[in-house]
Amino acid sequence: MHYATDSFLVMAISIQLTRTRAPCFFALRQKLCSSFPRHRLIRRSMASDPAGADTTRFDFLVIGGGSGGLAGARRAAELGAATAVIESHKLGGTCVNVGCVPKKVMWNAAVHAEYLHDHSDYGFDVGSVRFSWETLKAKRDAYVSHLNRIYRNNLDKSKIQTIQGHARFTNDSEPTVEVNGKKYTAPHILIATGGQPSVLSDAEVPGASLGITSDGFFELETLPKRSVIVGAGYIAVEMAGILSTLGSKTSLIIRQTGVLRNFDTFISSNCTKELQNNGVDLWKNSQVKSVIKTDSGLEVTLITKDPEKKNEEEKISTIQEVDCLLWAIGRQPNISGLNIGEMGVDTDERGHIIVDEFQNTSRSGIYAVGDVCGKALLTPVAIAAGRKLAHRLFEGKKDSKLDYSCIPTVVFSHPPIGTVGLTEEEAIKSRGKENIKIYKTSFTPMYHAMTTRKSQCIMKLVCVGKEERVVGLHMQGLGCDEMLQGFAVAIKMGATKADFDKTVAIHPTSSEEFVTMR
Amino acid sequence: MAALCRGRHRWKTNSLHVFTRNLTVKYDYDLVVIGGGSGGLACSKEAAQLGQKVAVLDYVEPSAQGTKWGLGGTCVNVGCIPKKLMHQAALLGSAVKDAKKYGWQISGTVSHDWATMSDAVQNHVRSLNWGHRVQLQDKKVKYLNLKGSLLDEHTVKGLSKAGKETILTAKNIVIATGGRPKYPTNVPGAMEHGITSDDIFWLKKSPGKTLVVGASYVALECAGFLTGIGLDTTVMVRSIALRGFDQQIAGLVTDYMEDYGTRFAWQSVPKRVDKLSSGALQVTWTNTQTGNESQDTYDSVLWAVGRAPETKALGLDKLGVQLNKETGKIVVAADESTSVPNIYAFGDISEGRPELTPTAIKAGKLLAHRLAGQSTELMNYNNVATTVFTPLEYGCVGLSEEEAERRHAKDGIEVYHAFYKPLEFTVAERDAKQCYIKVICERGGDQKILGLHFTGPNAGEVTQGFALGFQCGASYSHLLQTVGIHPTCAEEVVKVNITKRSGLDATVTGC
C-alpha cells in the first residue's frame, strides 16, 4: 500500500515541479513508473484532480497522431509519462496516409515504368505489358492499413491511451481539451495536428472545387487519362512525375518560368527541363482562370502572360477532357476547431503556431511540433522535434531541442533530387559572393550507358571561405535519393572540400563524383 | 639536375600551360608508366598536367581462353564497369518480378538474351577504351601499345605484338600492371576448360549453366548477375565467403543469394573437370567435411579463386626489385617506392594495398604530384570504403566487427544494428530479412565510429556519403544529430538505436 502512496506523491509533485525537476528525482520517478501498472497511476492522478471528477488527467497530452505527435508520445511514455494521443482520423497522419509513404509507393511504381522501357536494352524480352492502377492502389491501401495497425499496436504496447475524435481547448483555467464531450488535461499539451493541402474557393477561381488535392490523389480509383496539375512546389513536381510516367497525359501549370523556385537555381532549372524531357506538358507564366464540367470531363481555362513581354496580351487557352485536376498550391496548418486563439497561443498570419526553438508556444504548458508550425514540413523533422521535446519535459534535459540547420531533403521527381544546406543564392547573400566557391559536375549515369532512355545526373557543392567549408550540396539524378543521407551527416559535421577530396571513391557509383570533383 | 627540375615546377603549380621542355636531357621521358589501367592512366595524365613528359605502355596479354581487350585495364574491360552493368541487368530481372506486384500485367514469360546484353556492355567498354585514348592524347601523354619490361632503373624495353623492340629511358619508372585471375594448378582440366572473369564479359553466347568456383567478391558478384539473368548458377565454396569482410554480413549476402536462386556447394573443393562428348563440362568435387565425392555437369566453369600480380614478364628479378615471396607482389614503401631507386609501383601489383580502382587512381595522382616535386602528400590507405555488387548490395567503411573486437576488445565496442525493410520491398512482397545495418562504435566517450556496414538496395550510393563522414571522424552522436530523409533506406543508418549488447529485437517497425 505504501507504494501506491508513493506514486500518488510523486505524481502530485511532478505536476508542480515540471520546470524545476532534478535529475535524481527523475531516476526515481522512472523506476517507480516502470514498476507499476499504468492504469493505477492514471486513476490515482484522476482522484487528485482539482478540476473535477469528469476531467481525465495525464502527464502528457498529444493532439494529433501523426509522425510528430506519435514520436513525442512514445518517447514520453518510455520516459515514464502517462500519455494520451488524440486523433480524429487514421493514426500515422499525413506521412503514412496521404504523404511520404503512399507517394513513394507510387513513385516506385513509376520507376518500374521507366525500367520497363529499359528492359530490352539490357537484354530482356518482357512481352506485352499493361498497367493496372487498381492492383497498385489495392496493394498500397493494404500496406497503409498495415502501418495504421502497427501504429495502433505501438501505442498500445507503450501503454498510451488513444482518444478518437476532434480536440477543442476549453475555457478552463488550466489548459484542458474536450473530445466528444469528455475533458482531458495535462501539465504538458502538445499540438501536432499537422497540415492539409490548400484549396482555392470557387469565388477565387470559378469551378476550383471540381479539382482535387494530393489527398484526393490517393483516393483515385483509376489512372486518369488526362491530368492537369497546378503548382510548382515539390508536391506538384512529384504528382506530375508519377502521373506522367504511369501513362497519364499530364500538364503542369506554373505561375512563373520554373518549378522548385526555392531550391538552388541549378536544381530548379534542371528539374524544369527534366519534366519537359519526360513528356510533361509545361505551361509557364500561367494560371487557371476557370474550370467547368462537361460531358467529356473538365475543361480547364488558362491565362498565360509573360511578364517580360509587357506589350503582349494575355493568352487564353483551354485544356479539355481533363479527368484529374489537381491543386498542389501549398499546405496550410490544421488549427480550425482547436480554439487556440482563446488559449493565448500565437499564430502567424497564415495560421501557423509560433514556437520558440524549444517548441514552446506563447502559452506555458502548450507546445507544438511539425507541420502546424510551418517550418521544414518533413516527417523526420517532426519526429525529431517531438522526441527532443519529450526528453526535455520528462527526462529533465533542459537543452534538448532540434537543430533546424542542415536538414536534408529529397524530392521524388524523375530522376530524384537531393539537397542539404544553403543554395548558392543563400550563401552569396549571407557570406558575400567573394567568399563562395562552387563546384559543379554533370554526367550520364552508367546505368544509362546501356539504355536508349537517358537522364543526366547533376551535382553541385557550395563552399564558403578559405577553408572551403561545404555549406550546401545539391543534386538531381538516379540514386540521389539514397545518396544524400551520408553526405548530410558529414556536412552537419562541418566537412570541407578537402575532406571530400581525402575520401576515397566507391567505384562505380554516381556518388563517387562528389569526392572526385575538381 | 633533379633538384633544378623540381624547382622549375614548383612555381608553376597552377599553370595548365606549363610547357614541357625536357630539362633532363639524359632521358627520353620524365616518367614512363608501365600499365594503362586505372592507376597507370591516372598517374600518367596527372604527371603530364604537371608539366612532366610522360609515356604510358599498355599491352593486354590474351587470357588462357584467348580473350583480349583495349586500353583501361581491369576496371574498364574485365572488372568494375562490365560487372556493374551486368549487375544492373540482373537487378532489372528482379524488377520485372516486382513490377507485377506493382500492377504491371506482363503476359507470357520473361526471357533474357545474353548477346543483346553483352553487345551493349562491350560497346560501352569500347567507347571507354576510345575515351582513354583521347584523354591521353589531349593531355599529351605518349601512348605506346607495347609490352614493357625493365632493363635498368632508367630504361624500359617495349615489345610490340610483332616482336619489335623499343627502348625508352626515363627519370622515373612506375609499374602499375595490376593483376590477373588465377587458375588452380592442381585441378586437371581447370585451365583447359574453364574461364575466368577475364572472359565472362566477352563471351559471345550465354555461359549457360555455370559453376563459379570461389567465394571472393568477384565470385559472388559473377554468380549473382548470372543468377539474376536467369541462369542456373552454383557457387563452390571451400571455406568462407567474402574473407576479410564482416562475416555476419557475408552470411547475410550469401543467404540472400540462396533465397534469390543461386545454389551453393559449401565446404567443397573441385577435383577435376572433364569435357564430355556432348560438350558439357563434368566437374568432380570433394566435400571437405565428409570426404564424399560428387559430380555434376555444367556448360561453363568460372574460376574466381583469387588474382595474381603481373610481375613475371617485367624483368624485376634482374634489377633486384623486392617481391613478396608468397604473393609475388612488389614490396613498396608508403611513398610507393620499391627497393630500387627511381622505380615505383602501386595499385593491384603492390603488396598490401587494397585491390580497388579508386585507391589506385588516388594513389597514382598523389604519386605523380610527388614525382613532379609538387607535394609530399602520401596516399592514406585507411578508411577506404567499398561496395560489393551482389544481388543484395553490401557497402562498408572501416572495421569489420571481428577486427574491431580484435583491436578494441569486445567490451571496448558498442555495436548498433537494425534489420530494416526497404519501402520498395513492401508492395513487391519481397523478404527483407537480410537488409541490415551495423554501426560499430567505440564504447566510451563520443562513441567514435569504427566501422559502418549496410546491406540493401543502392548500397554503393548510400555508403559514399557515410565514408566522407567517417573520414571526418564521425561518432554515433553525429548520426543521431542528423535528420533522416524519409522514406529512404539510407535514413535507417542515422536511426540505429538498438545495441547488440542489449539483446533487444533490432527489427525496425513503422516510420
mmCIF file with all atom_site columns, all heavy atoms in Angstrom, chain A residues 123 125 128-130 132 139 482 501 506 518, chain B residues 46 103-105 107 111 113 362 429 464 490:
data_model
loop_
_atom_site.group_PDB
_atom_site.id
_atom_site.type_symbol
_atom_site.label_atom_id
_atom_site.label_alt_id
_atom_site.label_comp_id
_atom_site.label_asym_id
_atom_site.label_entity_id
_atom_site.label_seq_id
_atom_site.pdbx_PDB_ins_code
_atom_site.Cartn_x
_atom_site.Cartn_y
_atom_site.Cartn_z
_atom_site.occupancy
_atom_site.B_iso_or_equiv
_atom_site.pdbx_formal_charge
_atom_site.auth_seq_id
_atom_site.auth_comp_id
_atom_site.auth_asym_id
_atom_site.auth_atom_id
_atom_site.pdbx_PDB_model_num
ATOM 1   N N   . GLY A 1 123 ? 18.657 -6.622  -72.518 1.00 0.00 ? 123 GLY A N   1
ATOM 2   C CA  . GLY A 1 123 ? 18.559 -7.995  -72.994 1.00 0.00 ? 123 GLY A CA  1
ATOM 3   C C   . GLY A 1 123 ? 17.301 -8.747  -72.604 1.00 0.00 ? 123 GLY A C   1
ATOM 4   O O   . GLY A 1 123 ? 17.176 -9.923  -72.911 1.00 0.00 ? 123 GLY A O   1
ATOM 5   N N   . ASP A 1 125 ? 13.300 -9.703  -72.730 1.00 0.00 ? 125 ASP A N   1
ATOM 6   C CA  . ASP A 1 125 ? 12.080 -9.625  -73.523 1.00 0.00 ? 125 ASP A CA  1
ATOM 7   C C   . ASP A 1 125 ? 10.924 -9.863  -72.562 1.00 0.00 ? 125 ASP A C   1
ATOM 8   O O   . ASP A 1 125 ? 10.790 -10.945 -71.998 1.00 0.00 ? 125 ASP A O   1
ATOM 9   C CB  . ASP A 1 125 ? 12.099 -10.692 -74.628 1.00 0.00 ? 125 ASP A CB  1
ATOM 10  C CG  . ASP A 1 125 ? 10.816 -10.682 -75.439 1.00 0.00 ? 125 ASP A CG  1
ATOM 11  O OD1 . ASP A 1 125 ? 9.982  -9.774  -75.223 1.00 0.00 ? 125 ASP A OD1 1
ATOM 12  O OD2 . ASP A 1 125 ? 10.641 -11.585 -76.269 1.00 0.00 ? 125 ASP A OD2 1
ATOM 13  N N   . SER A 1 128 ? 4.226  -8.205  -73.857 1.00 0.00 ? 128 SER A N   1
ATOM 14  C CA  . SER A 1 128 ? 3.344  -7.038  -73.767 1.00 0.00 ? 128 SER A CA  1
ATOM 15  C C   . SER A 1 128 ? 3.011  -6.752  -72.300 1.00 0.00 ? 128 SER A C   1
ATOM 16  O O   . SER A 1 128 ? 2.897  -7.659  -71.484 1.00 0.00 ? 128 SER A O   1
ATOM 17  C CB  . SER A 1 128 ? 2.076  -7.274  -74.570 1.00 0.00 ? 128 SER A CB  1
ATOM 18  O OG  . SER A 1 128 ? 1.294  -8.228  -73.911 1.00 0.00 ? 128 SER A OG  1
ATOM 19  N N   . VAL A 1 129 ? 2.897  -5.471  -72.018 1.00 0.00 ? 129 VAL A N   1
ATOM 20  C CA  . VAL A 1 129 ? 2.764  -5.024  -70.640 1.00 0.00 ? 129 VAL A CA  1
ATOM 21  C C   . VAL A 1 129 ? 1.559  -4.102  -70.519 1.00 0.00 ? 129 VAL A C   1
ATOM 22  O O   . VAL A 1 129 ? 1.349  -3.242  -71.372 1.00 0.00 ? 129 VAL A O   1
ATOM 23  C CB  . VAL A 1 129 ? 4.038  -4.251  -70.221 1.00 0.00 ? 129 VAL A CB  1
ATOM 24  C CG1 . VAL A 1 129 ? 3.861  -3.631  -68.862 1.00 0.00 ? 129 VAL A CG1 1
ATOM 25  C CG2 . VAL A 1 129 ? 5.245  -5.158  -70.228 1.00 0.00 ? 129 VAL A CG2 1
ATOM 26  N N   . ARG A 1 130 ? 0.760  -4.329  -69.483 1.00 0.00 ? 130 ARG A N   1
ATOM 27  C CA  . ARG A 1 130 ? -0.362 -3.441  -69.239 1.00 0.00 ? 130 ARG A CA  1
ATOM 28  C C   . ARG A 1 130 ? -0.352 -3.075  -67.769 1.00 0.00 ? 130 ARG A C   1
ATOM 29  O O   . ARG A 1 130 ? -0.077 -3.923  -66.916 1.00 0.00 ? 130 ARG A O   1
ATOM 30  C CB  . ARG A 1 130 ? -1.675 -4.154  -69.586 1.00 0.00 ? 130 ARG A CB  1
ATOM 31  C CG  . ARG A 1 130 ? -2.832 -3.219  -69.887 1.00 0.00 ? 130 ARG A CG  1
ATOM 32  C CD  . ARG A 1 130 ? -4.103 -4.029  -70.140 1.00 0.00 ? 130 ARG A CD  1
ATOM 33  N NE  . ARG A 1 130 ? -4.627 -4.584  -68.891 1.00 0.00 ? 130 ARG A NE  1
ATOM 34  C CZ  . ARG A 1 130 ? -5.392 -3.894  -68.032 1.00 0.00 ? 130 ARG A CZ  1
ATOM 35  N NH1 . ARG A 1 130 ? -5.739 -2.656  -68.285 1.00 0.00 ? 130 ARG A NH1 1
ATOM 36  N NH2 . ARG A 1 130 ? -5.834 -4.459  -66.922 1.00 0.00 ? 130 ARG A NH2 1
ATOM 37  N N   . SER A 1 132 ? -2.068 -1.887  -64.302 1.00 0.00 ? 132 SER A N   1
ATOM 38  C CA  . SER A 1 132 ? -3.338 -1.860  -63.585 1.00 0.00 ? 132 SER A CA  1
ATOM 39  C C   . SER A 1 132 ? -3.208 -0.985  -62.344 1.00 0.00 ? 132 SER A C   1
ATOM 40  O O   . SER A 1 132 ? -2.606 -1.374  -61.346 1.00 0.00 ? 132 SER A O   1
ATOM 41  C CB  . SER A 1 132 ? -3.747 -3.284  -63.191 1.00 0.00 ? 132 SER A CB  1
ATOM 42  O OG  . SER A 1 132 ? -4.705 -3.231  -62.148 1.00 0.00 ? 132 SER A OG  1
ATOM 43  N N   . LYS A 1 139 ? -2.975 -2.688  -53.307 1.00 0.00 ? 139 LYS A N   1
ATOM 44  C CA  . LYS A 1 139 ? -1.810 -3.112  -52.531 1.00 0.00 ? 139 LYS A CA  1
ATOM 45  C C   . LYS A 1 139 ? -1.281 -1.964  -51.665 1.00 0.00 ? 139 LYS A C   1
ATOM 46  O O   . LYS A 1 139 ? -0.839 -2.160  -50.539 1.00 0.00 ? 139 LYS A O   1
ATOM 47  C CB  . LYS A 1 139 ? -0.712 -3.620  -53.472 1.00 0.00 ? 139 LYS A CB  1
ATOM 48  C CG  . LYS A 1 139 ? -1.193 -4.795  -54.273 1.00 0.00 ? 139 LYS A CG  1
ATOM 49  C CD  . LYS A 1 139 ? -0.068 -5.598  -54.810 1.00 0.00 ? 139 LYS A CD  1
ATOM 50  C CE  . LYS A 1 139 ? 0.706  -6.243  -53.692 1.00 0.00 ? 139 LYS A CE  1
ATOM 51  N NZ  . LYS A 1 139 ? 1.594  -7.292  -54.212 1.00 0.00 ? 139 LYS A NZ  1
ATOM 52  N N   . GLU A 1 482 ? 19.047 8.092   -52.327 1.00 0.00 ? 482 GLU A N   1
ATOM 53  C CA  . GLU A 1 482 ? 19.756 7.288   -51.327 1.00 0.00 ? 482 GLU A CA  1
ATOM 54  C C   . GLU A 1 482 ? 21.164 7.826   -51.056 1.00 0.00 ? 482 GLU A C   1
ATOM 55  O O   . GLU A 1 482 ? 21.798 7.466   -50.084 1.00 0.00 ? 482 GLU A O   1
ATOM 56  C CB  . GLU A 1 482 ? 19.831 5.828   -51.782 1.00 0.00 ? 482 GLU A CB  1
ATOM 57  C CG  . GLU A 1 482 ? 18.471 5.117   -51.834 1.00 0.00 ? 482 GLU A CG  1
ATOM 58  C CD  . GLU A 1 482 ? 17.840 4.900   -50.457 1.00 0.00 ? 482 GLU A CD  1
ATOM 59  O OE1 . GLU A 1 482 ? 18.492 5.163   -49.425 1.00 0.00 ? 482 GLU A OE1 1
ATOM 60  O OE2 . GLU A 1 482 ? 16.666 4.474   -50.424 1.00 0.00 ? 482 GLU A OE2 1
ATOM 61  N N   . ASP A 1 501 ? 37.822 15.636  -50.780 1.00 0.00 ? 501 ASP A N   1
ATOM 62  C CA  . ASP A 1 501 ? 38.935 15.193  -51.619 1.00 0.00 ? 501 ASP A CA  1
ATOM 63  C C   . ASP A 1 501 ? 39.691 14.023  -50.993 1.00 0.00 ? 501 ASP A C   1
ATOM 64  O O   . ASP A 1 501 ? 40.222 13.170  -51.689 1.00 0.00 ? 501 ASP A O   1
ATOM 65  C CB  . ASP A 1 501 ? 39.921 16.344  -51.864 1.00 0.00 ? 501 ASP A CB  1
ATOM 66  C CG  . ASP A 1 501 ? 39.283 17.479  -52.650 1.00 0.00 ? 501 ASP A CG  1
ATOM 67  O OD1 . ASP A 1 501 ? 38.247 17.232  -53.291 1.00 0.00 ? 501 ASP A OD1 1
ATOM 68  O OD2 . ASP A 1 501 ? 39.813 18.606  -52.613 1.00 0.00 ? 501 ASP A OD2 1
ATOM 69  N N   . ILE A 1 506 ? 33.953 5.251   -54.126 1.00 0.00 ? 506 ILE A N   1
ATOM 70  C CA  . ILE A 1 506 ? 33.416 3.891   -54.277 1.00 0.00 ? 506 ILE A CA  1
ATOM 71  C C   . ILE A 1 506 ? 33.040 3.741   -55.746 1.00 0.00 ? 506 ILE A C   1
ATOM 72  O O   . ILE A 1 506 ? 32.216 4.497   -56.253 1.00 0.00 ? 506 ILE A O   1
ATOM 73  C CB  . ILE A 1 506 ? 32.176 3.670   -53.400 1.00 0.00 ? 506 ILE A CB  1
ATOM 74  C CG1 . ILE A 1 506 ? 32.528 3.869   -51.924 1.00 0.00 ? 506 ILE A CG1 1
ATOM 75  C CG2 . ILE A 1 506 ? 31.631 2.259   -53.626 1.00 0.00 ? 506 ILE A CG2 1
ATOM 76  C CD1 . ILE A 1 506 ? 31.335 3.777   -50.995 1.00 0.00 ? 506 ILE A CD1 1
ATOM 77  N N   . ARG A 1 518 ? 36.647 18.429  -59.224 1.00 0.00 ? 518 ARG A N   1
ATOM 78  C CA  . ARG A 1 518 ? 37.783 19.356  -59.217 1.00 0.00 ? 518 ARG A CA  1
ATOM 79  C C   . ARG A 1 518 ? 37.331 20.740  -59.599 1.00 0.00 ? 518 ARG A C   1
ATOM 80  O O   . ARG A 1 518 ? 36.349 20.907  -60.249 1.00 0.00 ? 518 ARG A O   1
ATOM 81  C CB  . ARG A 1 518 ? 38.842 18.914  -60.210 1.00 0.00 ? 518 ARG A CB  1
ATOM 82  C CG  . ARG A 1 518 ? 39.381 17.562  -59.897 1.00 0.00 ? 518 ARG A CG  1
ATOM 83  C CD  . ARG A 1 518 ? 40.460 17.211  -60.860 1.00 0.00 ? 518 ARG A CD  1
ATOM 84  N NE  . ARG A 1 518 ? 41.762 17.331  -60.219 1.00 0.00 ? 518 ARG A NE  1
ATOM 85  C CZ  . ARG A 1 518 ? 42.865 16.752  -60.671 1.00 0.00 ? 518 ARG A CZ  1
ATOM 86  N NH1 . ARG A 1 518 ? 42.826 16.034  -61.756 1.00 0.00 ? 518 ARG A NH1 1
ATOM 87  N NH2 . ARG A 1 518 ? 44.021 16.889  -60.061 1.00 0.00 ? 518 ARG A NH2 1
ATOM 88  N N   . GLU B 2 46  ? 48.017 12.809  -64.747 1.00 0.00 ? 46  GLU B N   1
ATOM 89  C CA  . GLU B 2 46  ? 48.281 13.817  -63.721 1.00 0.00 ? 46  GLU B CA  1
ATOM 90  C C   . GLU B 2 46  ? 49.697 14.377  -63.894 1.00 0.00 ? 46  GLU B C   1
ATOM 91  O O   . GLU B 2 46  ? 49.906 15.591  -63.831 1.00 0.00 ? 46  GLU B O   1
ATOM 92  C CB  . GLU B 2 46  ? 48.117 13.191  -62.334 1.00 0.00 ? 46  GLU B CB  1
ATOM 93  C CG  . GLU B 2 46  ? 48.005 14.182  -61.198 1.00 0.00 ? 46  GLU B CG  1
ATOM 94  C CD  . GLU B 2 46  ? 46.632 14.840  -61.117 1.00 0.00 ? 46  GLU B CD  1
ATOM 95  O OE1 . GLU B 2 46  ? 45.739 14.486  -61.908 1.00 0.00 ? 46  GLU B OE1 1
ATOM 96  O OE2 . GLU B 2 46  ? 46.461 15.728  -60.254 1.00 0.00 ? 46  GLU B OE2 1
ATOM 97  N N   . GLY B 2 103 ? 1.482  -3.750  -60.165 1.00 0.00 ? 103 GLY B N   1
ATOM 98  C CA  . GLY B 2 103 ? 0.337  -3.521  -61.038 1.00 0.00 ? 103 GLY B CA  1
ATOM 99  C C   . GLY B 2 103 ? 0.594  -3.721  -62.520 1.00 0.00 ? 103 GLY B C   1
ATOM 100 O O   . GLY B 2 103 ? -0.290 -3.448  -63.325 1.00 0.00 ? 103 GLY B O   1
ATOM 101 N N   . TRP B 2 104 ? 1.802  -4.184  -62.895 1.00 0.00 ? 104 TRP B N   1
ATOM 102 C CA  . TRP B 2 104 ? 2.009  -4.445  -64.311 1.00 0.00 ? 104 TRP B CA  1
ATOM 103 C C   . TRP B 2 104 ? 1.597  -5.856  -64.638 1.00 0.00 ? 104 TRP B C   1
ATOM 104 O O   . TRP B 2 104 ? 2.036  -6.798  -63.965 1.00 0.00 ? 104 TRP B O   1
ATOM 105 C CB  . TRP B 2 104 ? 3.470  -4.211  -64.721 1.00 0.00 ? 104 TRP B CB  1
ATOM 106 C CG  . TRP B 2 104 ? 3.632  -2.841  -65.239 1.00 0.00 ? 104 TRP B CG  1
ATOM 107 C CD1 . TRP B 2 104 ? 3.440  -2.420  -66.513 1.00 0.00 ? 104 TRP B CD1 1
ATOM 108 C CD2 . TRP B 2 104 ? 3.959  -1.682  -64.479 1.00 0.00 ? 104 TRP B CD2 1
ATOM 109 N NE1 . TRP B 2 104 ? 3.622  -1.071  -66.594 1.00 0.00 ? 104 TRP B NE1 1
ATOM 110 C CE2 . TRP B 2 104 ? 3.939  -0.595  -65.368 1.00 0.00 ? 104 TRP B CE2 1
ATOM 111 C CE3 . TRP B 2 104 ? 4.246  -1.457  -63.145 1.00 0.00 ? 104 TRP B CE3 1
ATOM 112 C CZ2 . TRP B 2 104 ? 4.214  0.701   -64.966 1.00 0.00 ? 104 TRP B CZ2 1
ATOM 113 C CZ3 . TRP B 2 104 ? 4.526  -0.178  -62.744 1.00 0.00 ? 104 TRP B CZ3 1
ATOM 114 C CH2 . TRP B 2 104 ? 4.501  0.889   -63.651 1.00 0.00 ? 104 TRP B CH2 1
ATOM 115 N N   . GLN B 2 105 ? 0.751  -5.966  -65.627 1.00 0.00 ? 105 GLN B N   1
ATOM 116 C CA  . GLN B 2 105 ? 0.362  -7.296  -66.082 1.00 0.00 ? 105 GLN B CA  1
ATOM 117 C C   . GLN B 2 105 ? 1.251  -7.626  -67.259 1.00 0.00 ? 105 GLN B C   1
ATOM 118 O O   . GLN B 2 105 ? 1.215  -6.953  -68.289 1.00 0.00 ? 105 GLN B O   1
ATOM 119 C CB  . GLN B 2 105 ? -1.122 -7.296  -66.444 1.00 0.00 ? 105 GLN B CB  1
ATOM 120 C CG  . GLN B 2 105 ? -1.970 -7.101  -65.185 1.00 0.00 ? 105 GLN B CG  1
ATOM 121 C CD  . GLN B 2 105 ? -3.352 -6.567  -65.455 1.00 0.00 ? 105 GLN B CD  1
ATOM 122 O OE1 . GLN B 2 105 ? -3.681 -6.202  -66.586 1.00 0.00 ? 105 GLN B OE1 1
ATOM 123 N NE2 . GLN B 2 105 ? -4.164 -6.485  -64.423 1.00 0.00 ? 105 GLN B NE2 1
ATOM 124 N N   . SER B 2 107 ? 2.296  -10.333 -69.913 1.00 0.00 ? 107 SER B N   1
ATOM 125 C CA  . SER B 2 107 ? 1.800  -11.580 -70.494 1.00 0.00 ? 107 SER B CA  1
ATOM 126 C C   . SER B 2 107 ? 2.983  -12.397 -70.997 1.00 0.00 ? 107 SER B C   1
ATOM 127 O O   . SER B 2 107 ? 3.941  -11.856 -71.529 1.00 0.00 ? 107 SER B O   1
ATOM 128 C CB  . SER B 2 107 ? 0.833  -11.279 -71.638 1.00 0.00 ? 107 SER B CB  1
ATOM 129 O OG  . SER B 2 107 ? 1.457  -10.430 -72.566 1.00 0.00 ? 107 SER B OG  1
ATOM 130 N N   . SER B 2 111 ? 12.108 -13.456 -70.912 1.00 0.00 ? 111 SER B N   1
ATOM 131 C CA  . SER B 2 111 ? 13.344 -14.136 -71.291 1.00 0.00 ? 111 SER B CA  1
ATOM 132 C C   . SER B 2 111 ? 14.468 -13.122 -71.407 1.00 0.00 ? 111 SER B C   1
ATOM 133 O O   . SER B 2 111 ? 14.237 -11.925 -71.557 1.00 0.00 ? 111 SER B O   1
ATOM 134 C CB  . SER B 2 111 ? 13.143 -14.861 -72.615 1.00 0.00 ? 111 SER B CB  1
ATOM 135 O OG  . SER B 2 111 ? 12.823 -13.919 -73.625 1.00 0.00 ? 111 SER B OG  1
ATOM 136 N N   . ASP B 2 113 ? 18.253 -12.301 -73.303 1.00 0.00 ? 113 ASP B N   1
ATOM 137 C CA  . ASP B 2 113 ? 19.159 -12.642 -74.392 1.00 0.00 ? 113 ASP B CA  1
ATOM 138 C C   . ASP B 2 113 ? 20.561 -12.149 -74.055 1.00 0.00 ? 113 ASP B C   1
ATOM 139 O O   . ASP B 2 113 ? 20.802 -10.947 -73.969 1.00 0.00 ? 113 ASP B O   1
ATOM 140 C CB  . ASP B 2 113 ? 18.654 -12.011 -75.696 1.00 0.00 ? 113 ASP B CB  1
ATOM 141 C CG  . ASP B 2 113 ? 19.591 -12.316 -76.850 1.00 0.00 ? 113 ASP B CG  1
ATOM 142 O OD1 . ASP B 2 113 ? 19.943 -13.501 -77.029 1.00 0.00 ? 113 ASP B OD1 1
ATOM 143 O OD2 . ASP B 2 113 ? 20.004 -11.374 -77.543 1.00 0.00 ? 113 ASP B OD2 1
ATOM 144 N N   . LYS B 2 362 ? 43.704 7.350   -56.938 1.00 0.00 ? 362 LYS B N   1
ATOM 145 C CA  . LYS B 2 362 ? 44.129 8.379   -55.993 1.00 0.00 ? 362 LYS B CA  1
ATOM 146 C C   . LYS B 2 362 ? 45.628 8.254   -55.701 1.00 0.00 ? 362 LYS B C   1
ATOM 147 O O   . LYS B 2 362 ? 46.348 9.258   -55.681 1.00 0.00 ? 362 LYS B O   1
ATOM 148 C CB  . LYS B 2 362 ? 43.314 8.232   -54.705 1.00 0.00 ? 362 LYS B CB  1
ATOM 149 C CG  . LYS B 2 362 ? 43.159 9.522   -53.953 1.00 0.00 ? 362 LYS B CG  1
ATOM 150 C CD  . LYS B 2 362 ? 42.163 9.339   -52.812 1.00 0.00 ? 362 LYS B CD  1
ATOM 151 C CE  . LYS B 2 362 ? 42.004 10.616  -52.042 1.00 0.00 ? 362 LYS B CE  1
ATOM 152 N NZ  . LYS B 2 362 ? 41.390 11.687  -52.782 1.00 0.00 ? 362 LYS B NZ  1
ATOM 153 N N   . GLU B 2 429 ? 6.342  -7.385  -51.999 1.00 0.00 ? 429 GLU B N   1
ATOM 154 C CA  . GLU B 2 429 ? 6.268  -8.598  -51.174 1.00 0.00 ? 429 GLU B CA  1
ATOM 155 C C   . GLU B 2 429 ? 7.580  -9.362  -51.163 1.00 0.00 ? 429 GLU B C   1
ATOM 156 O O   . GLU B 2 429 ? 7.626  -10.583 -51.274 1.00 0.00 ? 429 GLU B O   1
ATOM 157 C CB  . GLU B 2 429 ? 5.131  -9.512  -51.650 1.00 0.00 ? 429 GLU B CB  1
ATOM 158 C CG  . GLU B 2 429 ? 3.757  -8.883  -51.458 1.00 0.00 ? 429 GLU B CG  1
ATOM 159 C CD  . GLU B 2 429 ? 2.661  -9.628  -52.196 1.00 0.00 ? 429 GLU B CD  1
ATOM 160 O OE1 . GLU B 2 429 ? 2.839  -10.808 -52.496 1.00 0.00 ? 429 GLU B OE1 1
ATOM 161 O OE2 . GLU B 2 429 ? 1.622  -8.995  -52.479 1.00 0.00 ? 429 GLU B OE2 1
ATOM 162 N N   . GLN B 2 464 ? 28.832 6.077   -49.851 1.00 0.00 ? 464 GLN B N   1
ATOM 163 C CA  . GLN B 2 464 ? 29.842 7.102   -50.124 1.00 0.00 ? 464 GLN B CA  1
ATOM 164 C C   . GLN B 2 464 ? 29.790 8.278   -49.150 1.00 0.00 ? 464 GLN B C   1
ATOM 165 O O   . GLN B 2 464 ? 30.816 8.713   -48.640 1.00 0.00 ? 464 GLN B O   1
ATOM 166 C CB  . GLN B 2 464 ? 29.693 7.615   -51.566 1.00 0.00 ? 464 GLN B CB  1
ATOM 167 C CG  . GLN B 2 464 ? 30.782 8.597   -51.971 1.00 0.00 ? 464 GLN B CG  1
ATOM 168 C CD  . GLN B 2 464 ? 32.115 7.904   -52.186 1.00 0.00 ? 464 GLN B CD  1
ATOM 169 O OE1 . GLN B 2 464 ? 32.323 7.184   -53.133 1.00 0.00 ? 464 GLN B OE1 1
ATOM 170 N NE2 . GLN B 2 464 ? 33.042 8.132   -51.270 1.00 0.00 ? 464 GLN B NE2 1
ATOM 171 N N   . ALA B 2 490 ? 18.620 4.785   -46.659 1.00 0.00 ? 490 ALA B N   1
ATOM 172 C CA  . ALA B 2 490 ? 19.782 5.413   -46.029 1.00 0.00 ? 490 ALA B CA  1
ATOM 173 C C   . ALA B 2 490 ? 19.429 6.035   -44.676 1.00 0.00 ? 490 ALA B C   1
ATOM 174 O O   . ALA B 2 490 ? 20.268 6.111   -43.781 1.00 0.00 ? 490 ALA B O   1
ATOM 175 C CB  . ALA B 2 490 ? 20.357 6.479   -46.970 1.00 0.00 ? 490 ALA B CB  1
#
